[in-house]
Amino acid sequence: MWQRFKRWLQSEWPRWWPYVFAIAITEMVFCLFIEQSAARYVPVGLGLLFAVVLSAYVGGFWPGLLSTLIIAAPLKFIFDRQAISVPGIPLGPPSLLFWFPIVFGLMGAMISAFFEALHRSRRASNAARSEVTAILANISEAIVTTDALGRIQYVNRAATLLLRRDLPDIVGQPFESVVKIFDTTDTAHAVPLVEQVRSSGHTVHLGNHQVLVQDDGTHLAIEATAAPVRDLGGQLVSVVMTLRECTEQRQVETMLRERLVLQSRFGRIAAVVPGAIYEYRMGVDGRVQLLYASQAFEEILGFDPRLFADDASAWTAGVYPGDIAKVNEAIAAAMLALTPINIEHRVITPHRGLRWVVVSGVPLREADGSTLWHGIFMDVTERKRAEERLRTSQLQLRAALDAGAMGVITHNLDARSVELDPLARRLWGLDKVTEPLTYDHLTSVLHPDHLEPPTGSAEQTQFPTGLFSREYRLLLDGKERWLAGRGRVYRDEVTGTLFGAGVFMDVTQQRHIEAQRLHSQKLEALGVLAGGIAHDFNNLLLAISGNAKLLLADLPEGDPTRASAVEIDKAASRAAELVRRILSFSSGQEPSQTEKSVALRPVLDEALGLARAVLPTTVAINVSIPETLPEILASGGQVHQALINLLTNAADAAVAVGGGAITLEVVEVDVREALHHLSQEVKPGQYVCITVTDAGKGIDPAVLPRIFDPFFTTKASGRGTGLGLAIVHGIMKSIDGAVTVLNTPGHGVAFTLYFPTQQAAAMAATPVAVPAAQSRSMRILYVDDEESLIFLMTRTLERMGHRVTAYLSPAVALEKFMANADAFDLVVSDMSMPGLSGIELAERMLAVRPQLPFIITSGFVDAADVERAHAVGVRQMIIKPNTVDELSVVLATFLGEQDAPVVSAIPASPARAD
C-alpha cells in the first residue's frame, strides 16, 4: 500500500512538493514547541528532529536541510531571548542554549544526507528494476519466472503472445499447467522442466525435438532454457524460463539438412558429369567471381577453383586470343536478353596447352544489377579432333567420289524409301524431283528391258545382307545410260530395320568401250578365220589360175577352147581379188606392201575424181580440204580403198532418201590422253581426220553394233558383199588408226577415219627390181602339202628351164636335204604344212646351209611371221595366189645377183572397193 502511495506521490505530484511538505511539518512542530517554555520543552525539542527526519525521508537531502534550517534559525533566536529572561541560566557562550541550534543543525544535515543517500540507492534500484522490466517486457523471447515450487510469478508480453493467455490467467498458476511442453518422441507426457531444474540444480536446455502445445491444439517447435535463481545462502528461490519459437529455425535446419543431402548428392553427380559445373557472378563494377566449381574444373583447366572465389579475371584471361571477341559478343547478347548461352571456343591451359571447351550457362539478374551464371563447361578437344578427322575423311571421301563421278545412295529397304546425293540424283535423272524419293522413282527411269517381273509384295521380298554389285540400264529422254551400283546391305541391330548404302557410277562409256573391245575381238576372230579360209582357198585359186595359164600357153591362138581358158583365168582373178579383200579385213594391210608415208592430197584428189565418175549424178560431194596436209603413215591404196568404200556407202544412203549431198571434211587433230575415252581404238597422237557425212536416214540403233562385221549388209540381195566397212575397219586398225561413227537416226551418219601422221612403220620389204631373166637353170626343192600345187609348180618351173624336186611332206623334204644339202640351189616351201611349218623347215635347213636362198609362199602372213622369217634367214615371202608370176620374178632376181636381197613381201595389186 505504502509503495503504491509513494509511487503515486512521485508520479502525480510536482518535484517541489517535498520542500513544501518539509516546511509545513517543521512549522507545525515549531509552533507547538514555542507555546511552552524553553526549559520545560527542551526534551521536546528533540522531537523537532522528527520533522527533519520525516522531511529528509520524504524529500531527501535538500528538503531535510531546509527543514533543519527552518527549525534551527528560530531556535537560535528564541534561545537567545529566553536566556536573558530566565534566571539561573548563564548568558553567553558556551551555554546549552548556544550550542543546541548548532548541534540540531548538524544533526539535521547528517540525517538529510543519510536519507538522500538512501533515496538515491532506492531510485537507482528502482531504475534498474524498471529497466530490466522494460527489457524483459520488450524482449522477443518469452520469459517466465516461477517460485521454487513452480508457480508462475512473472511473464513478459512475448510469453502471453506465445501462450495465447492473459496475464491474470497466468500469474500464480503451476508452470506445467500453463506451459505444456512435449517431446516429439513421447507425446503422452509433458516435460517437467521446473522439476528437472530442481533435481539437477543447474540450467536445463531443451532444443532438439520439443514442441509447445497451445490450448487450441496447435503445435509449435520451441527451444526452452530453465535456469535456477538462488539467494545468498544458496537456496533456490525461483526459476527463470526462456521460451523461443523455432518453427522457422527448424524449417531452416530441415532445409539445410536437405541442402546438405542435395549437395552431397550433387557432388556425386558432378563428379561423374562429363564436364565442370560452375556458378559465376559478374558484378556491375566489372568484378567477376567464381562462386562454385566442381572437381572437373581443375582437371580441365589446371587451376584450383578456390583461387578465383574473389577474383576470376585470371580464368577469363585464359580464353584463346582469337576467340575473345566471339566469346564477349555471345556473353553480352545473353546478358542483355537473359537467354541461355552455348558457345564453343578455345582456352589456353598451363598443363595441357590449347584445348577446346563448350560453355553452357543460364544468366540470372540479381537485385544489385549483377549477373549470376549457372552452367557447365566441357572439354571437347578429343571430340573436335575426331570431328576434324571425320571432316578430313569426309572431304577425302567426297573428293574420291567426285573424282570417280560416284553418287551416294542410302535406302531403307523395309520402308522402300531412298535418299540420293545431288550427283546420284543427276545420274538417275531425278535431280528435279522435290518429293521424297522411293523405289518407284528409280523403277520409273529403268529401261523396259531391264525391269524385272515382280516376284511378290514388298513385304515378301527378301534382301540378303552383305555386299551387292549390280548394273542398271536407264532410259532418259530416249537415251540409254548404264549405272553400276556397289554397296552393302545391313540390318540395324537395335530396330532390326534393313538398310542399304552404296555408290553409283556412270559406266555408259565403259559399256561402249567394252562393246567396242568385244567387237574388235570378234573381228579379230573372224579375221583369223578368214585368214585360214583364204590360205586354203588361195591354194585352190593358185591351182586353177596356174593351170589356166599353162593351158593358154599350150593352146594355139586360133583354138576355140582358149576362150574358156581365158574365162577360167578371169574367174580365178576375181576370186583372188575377193580373197585379197578378206585378207585386208583380217590383217588390215596388204600383206605384201610396205607401210610408208604418203602425201595425202594427191590420193584424195584421185579418189574424189574416181568417185565423181562412178557415183550417181543426183548426189553432190561437198569438199573441205586444207591447202597443206602432213604425210600420213599409210599407203595410197589403203587410203583410196577406205575412202571409196565410205563414199559409195554415203551415196547409197543419199539415193535412198531421193538424193542429196555428201560432205567430205579433212582436218588435223591432236588426240590427248584425256580424250582417249572417245574411242578405245583412238590412241593419243597426231592424226589427219577424214569425215564423210551423208544426209540419209541414219543407221538403225539395233544394227549399229554390227556394221563392221564381215559379210553383214543392209542392202538388197546382190547389191553388196558386206565387206566394205569390214575392210575399212581392218585397214585403219592395221595402220594404228581408227574409224568412228556418229549416227543420228533420221538425219544421217558421219564416218571419221583417223590416219596417224607419225608412227613407227611396220617391217616391210622394198619391192625388188625385176632384172632380165637369165638362161641358167637352177636346182629347186619345192615343198607343199597340196598335190595340185606340186603338179602345177613342177610343170611351171620345168617350163622355165629349172630342175624341180617336189615333196608333199616337209619331213621327207628335210630328210632328203640333210642327205645331200648341196644338191639344191633354192628352196621354195609353203608356210602352213602339217608337222613342220615353212619357217621351221627353213630354220633347220639354213642351220646346215646358211647361204641357201629360201622362199616361203603363203595365202596369209602377218608382221610377226615376216619378222620371224627375217630372223631365221628367209630371203623372200610370196603371197598366194600370185605365186607363179611372182616366183618367176624372184628367180630372175636370184639368177641376176650374187647376193640375195633381204626379206620382203612382193606387192600385190590393190583390192577394189565394194
Side-chain angles (χ1 to χ4, degrees):
M1 181 64 72
W2 169 250
Q3 293 292 338
R4 289 186 177 183
F5 175 71
K6 185 178 180 181
R7 287 196 298 270
W8 176 77
L9 289 177
Q10 291 178 345
S11 61
E12 299 296 336
W13 293 84
R15 293 183 60 83
W16 46 264
W17 76 269
Y19 299 95
V20 176
F21 178 75
I23 294 172
I25 293 299
T26 303
E27 291 296 333
M28 182 183 66
V29 175
F30 184 74
C31 290
L32 292 175
F33 177 72
I34 65 174
E35 291 293 330
Q36 307 296 329
S37 61
R40 183 182 299 173
Y41 294 103
V42 168
V44 180
L46 298 175
L48 293 174
L49 290 174
F50 174 74
V52 176
V53 171
L54 184 60
S55 298
Y57 177 76
V58 174
F61 176 76
W62 293 107
L65 185 61
L66 177 62
S67 178
T68 301
L69 292 175
I70 292 174
I71 295 175
L75 283 178
K76 178 67 176 171
F77 177 76
I78 294 173
F79 285 171
D80 287 343
R81 292 193 60 180
Q82 287 185 357
I84 298 174
S85 60
V86 176
I89 300 176
L91 297 174
S95 65
L96 178 61
L97 294 178
F98 177 79
W99 289 104
F100 184 81
I102 296 173
V103 172
F104 183 82
L106 292 174
M107 292 181 63
M110 293 175 62
I111 292 172
S112 296
F114 171 76
F115 280 108
E116 177 64 23
L118 184 63
H119 277 308
R120 289 187 178 184
S121 176
R122 185 180 295 115
R123 284 197 299 270
S125 177
N126 290 338
R129 185 180 295 108
S130 298
E131 183 178 0
V132 170
T133 301
I135 292 173
L136 293 177
N138 293 283
I139 199 170
S140 60
E141 295 182 350
I143 306 299
V144 179
T145 62
T146 67
D147 56 15
L149 299 178
R151 291 188 296 269
I152 298 175
Q153 293 179 328
Y154 172 78
V155 293
N156 64 352
R157 183 172 178 273
T160 60
L161 295 176
L162 178 65
L163 300 174
R164 296 184 182 179
R165 300 282 291 273
D166 295 332
L167 184 62
D169 298 337
I170 298 175
V171 176
Q173 298 294 325
F175 180 80
E176 282 78 8
S177 64
V178 177
V179 183
K180 303 173 182 178
I181 301 176
F182 292 89
D183 197 310
T184 55
T185 59
D186 184 11
T187 58
H189 303 87
V191 177
L193 188 58
V194 177
E195 181 62 30
Q196 290 181 7
V197 173
R198 284 200 299 263
S199 60
S200 63
H202 54 75
T203 302
V204 176
H205 179 73
L206 303 177
N208 293 327
H209 307 285
Q210 285 70 36
V211 293
L212 173 67
V213 180
Q214 297 176 332
D215 290 342
D216 59 358
T218 303
H219 290 63
L220 299 177
I222 65 167
E223 288 184 353
T225 302
V229 179
R230 304 180 186 279
D231 57 13
L232 296 178
Q235 295 296 321
L236 181 67
V237 294
S238 64
V239 178
V240 179
M241 270 76 65
T242 303
L243 306 176
R244 183 171 64 86
E245 182 184 359
C246 58
T247 302
E248 294 183 359
Q249 179 182 345
R250 294 277 177 85
Q251 292 176 351
V252 171
E253 290 176 353
T254 302
M255 292 175 60
L256 289 176
R257 285 193 295 271
E258 292 177 351
R259 183 173 181 179
L260 290 176
V261 173
L262 289 176
Q263 285 181 347
S264 177
R265 186 180 303 167
F266 178 77
R268 293 192 298 271
I269 294 174
V272 298
V273 166
I277 300 174
Y278 68 89
E279 185 179 33
Y280 182 73
R281 175 181 286 123
M282 302 179 67
V284 292
D285 58 352
R287 182 184 179 188
V288 289
Q289 296 173 280
L290 183 63
L291 304 180
Y292 170 80
S294 60
Q295 182 180 359
F297 180 93
E298 186 171 1
E299 298 175 2
I300 296 175
L301 298 179
F303 296 106
D304 187 346
R306 291 173 295 184
L307 299 176
F308 307 129
D310 294 328
D311 185 7
S313 58
W315 173 34
T316 57
V319 178
Y320 183 71
D323 294 343
I324 291 178
K326 177 180 68 174
V327 173
N328 291 338
E329 181 180 353
I331 292 177
M335 289 177 59
L336 181 64
L338 290 181
T339 55
I341 187 175
N342 190 333
I343 185 172
E344 190 176 86
H345 65 88
R346 291 163 289 181
V347 295
I348 301 175
T349 63
H351 65 311
R352 303 171 73 186
L354 188 66
R355 309 292 293 177
W356 278 93
V357 296
V358 171
V359 181
S360 301
V362 179
L364 177 65
R365 192 83 71 209
E366 293 186 311
D368 62 351
S370 301
T371 304
L372 190 65
W373 294 84
H374 296 90
I376 185 173
F377 66 92
M378 296 182 294
D379 187 342
V380 294
T381 306
E382 297 305 322
R383 191 198 74 188
K384 290 290 292 185
R385 291 174 179 171
E387 289 176 352
E388 183 63 22
R389 291 193 296 268
L390 178 60
R391 188 183 69 84
T392 303
S393 177
Q394 289 176 340
L395 290 177
Q396 293 173 346
L397 176 60
R398 175 49 59 187
L401 292 175
D402 292 343
M406 292 184 288
V408 179
I409 178 175
T410 57
H411 43 113
N412 185 326
L413 298 175
D414 291 338
R416 302 184 72 80
S417 61
V418 180
E419 292 184 7
L420 302 175
D421 71 347
L423 179 56
R425 281 177 171 264
R426 290 195 298 271
L427 291 177
W428 280 88
L430 302 174
D431 48 333
K432 296 182 180 180
V433 178
T434 58
E435 66 269 14
L437 297 178
T438 64
Y439 273 100
D440 293 337
H441 291 92
L442 300 183
T443 56
S444 65
V445 296
L446 288 178
H447 194 282
D449 296 340
H450 197 82
L451 290 174
E452 297 180 354
T455 57
S457 63
E459 292 76 10
Q460 296 173 340
T461 305
Q462 298 297 322
F463 295 94
T465 59
L467 296 175
F468 69 85
S469 176
R470 187 177 180 184
E471 291 190 350
Y472 301 87
R473 184 181 178 191
L474 311 184
L475 186 61
L476 301 174
D477 298 330
K479 297 182 179 179
E480 290 187 2
R481 178 182 296 173
W482 282 89
L483 300 182
R486 307 288 188 271
R488 178 184 294 274
V489 176
Y490 63 94
R491 189 173 298 278
D492 189 277
E493 296 180 357
V494 178
T495 62
T497 305
L498 199 63
F499 290 97
V503 295
F504 283 112
M505 297 169 288
D506 188 343
V507 294
T508 306
Q509 187 65 29
Q510 288 83 340
R511 274 272 182 166
H512 292 166
I513 293 175
E514 179 67 16
Q516 292 178 2
R517 185 183 65 82
L518 294 176
H519 184 67
S520 297
Q521 291 178 348
K522 182 174 66 173
L523 294 181
E524 290 176 2
L526 290 174
V528 173
L529 176 62
I533 295 175
H535 175 268
D536 294 336
F537 195 57
N538 271 330
N539 290 333
L540 300 177
L541 290 177
L542 179 58
I544 295 173
S545 177
N547 283 285
K549 286 182 171 58
L550 291 177
L551 182 60
L552 288 173
D554 293 338
L555 292 176
E557 288 295 332
D559 195 320
T561 58
R562 286 184 62 88
S564 299
V566 171
E567 291 300 323
I568 293 173
D569 186 47
K570 290 181 179 180
S573 297
R574 289 195 296 269
E577 180 68 18
L578 181 59
V579 170
R580 191 172 291 110
R581 291 191 181 188
I582 296 175
L583 290 175
S584 297
F585 155 72
S586 62
S587 65
Q589 65 179 3
E590 296 294 342
S592 60
Q593 182 173 327
T594 301
E595 214 171 61
K596 62 181 180 179
S597 297
V598 65
L600 183 59
R601 186 60 185 260
V603 179
L604 290 177
D605 293 340
E606 181 182 352
L608 288 173
L610 177 61
R612 286 189 176 95
V614 299
L615 294 182
T617 57
T618 57
V619 178
I621 303 177
N622 300 324
V623 178
S624 174
I625 303 176
E627 291 295 331
T628 59
L629 288 173
E631 292 187 350
I632 61 173
L633 294 178
S635 67
Q638 290 171 325
V639 178
H640 188 276
Q641 188 172 7
L643 191 56
I644 290 298
N645 272 301
L646 293 183
L647 291 173
T648 301
N649 288 340
D652 291 343
V655 170
V657 295
I662 300 173
T663 301
L664 185 144
E665 183 179 9
V666 182
V667 294
E668 294 184 57
V669 296
D670 182 3
V671 178
R672 301 291 182 178
E673 186 69 32
L675 301 178
H676 180 46
H677 66 277
L678 294 174
S679 175
Q680 188 184 25
E681 296 184 357
V682 181
K683 301 176 182 179
Q686 300 287 336
Y687 293 89
V688 173
C689 290
I690 302 177
T691 302
V692 177
T693 306
D694 64 65
K697 296 185 296 183
I699 301 175
D700 186 353
V703 303
L704 184 63
R706 301 182 59 193
I707 60 174
F708 294 110
D709 291 354
F711 309 109
F712 175 79
T713 180
T714 58
K715 299 177 181 179
S717 178
R719 296 196 57 191
T721 62
L723 289 175
L725 291 179
I727 291 175
V728 172
H729 182 274
I731 292 173
M732 300 310 296
K733 181 179 178 182
S734 69
I735 61 175
D736 286 336
V739 55
T740 62
V741 57
L742 177 61
N743 179 42
T744 306
H747 299 282
V749 182
F751 285 92
T752 301
L753 304 176
Y754 288 80
F755 288 97
T757 61
Q758 51 183 1
Q759 181 177 334
M763 185 189 72
T766 303
V768 297
V770 181
Q774 301 296 323
S775 60
R776 185 170 62 87
S777 175
M778 297 183 67
R779 297 171 295 172
I780 300 174
L781 175 61
Y782 188 86
V783 184
D784 201 310
D785 60 340
E786 286 288 339
E787 186 175 359
S788 60
L789 295 183
I790 291 289
F791 174 76
L792 172 65
M793 295 307 297
T794 300
R795 290 179 61 199
T796 301
L797 293 174
E798 287 179 347
R799 283 194 177 191
M800 296 171 63
H802 303 291
R803 290 177 294 172
V804 180
T805 302
Y807 295 100
L808 289 172
S809 172
V812 174
L814 179 61
E815 181 181 356
K816 297 296 183 180
F817 178 83
M818 290 298 183
N820 188 4
D822 294 330
F824 304 100
D825 300 320
L826 182 117
V827 178
V828 179
S829 172
D830 188 21
M831 171 69 81
S832 300
M833 297 180 294
L836 288 175
S837 68
I839 295 178
E840 292 173 340
L841 182 62
E843 184 177 12
R844 296 189 182 187
M845 289 184 176
L846 293 175
V848 177
R849 188 179 169 188
Q851 299 302 322
L852 176 68
F854 201 105
I855 299 173
I856 292 180
T857 64
S858 177
F860 174 77
V861 293
D862 55 18
D865 293 334
V866 174
E867 183 177 357
R868 186 180 175 189
H870 181 279
V872 170
V874 174
R875 298 292 184 91
Q876 194 75 41
M877 296 188 72
I878 299 175
I879 304 302
K880 296 177 181 179
N882 296 322
T883 307
V884 175
D885 297 336
E886 294 170 2
L887 184 58
S888 63
V889 175
V890 172
L891 292 177
T893 302
F894 283 137
L895 291 174
E897 298 180 1
Q898 287 184 341
D899 297 329
V902 296
V903 175
S904 61
I906 297 298
S909 57
R912 290 184 306 169
D914 181 29

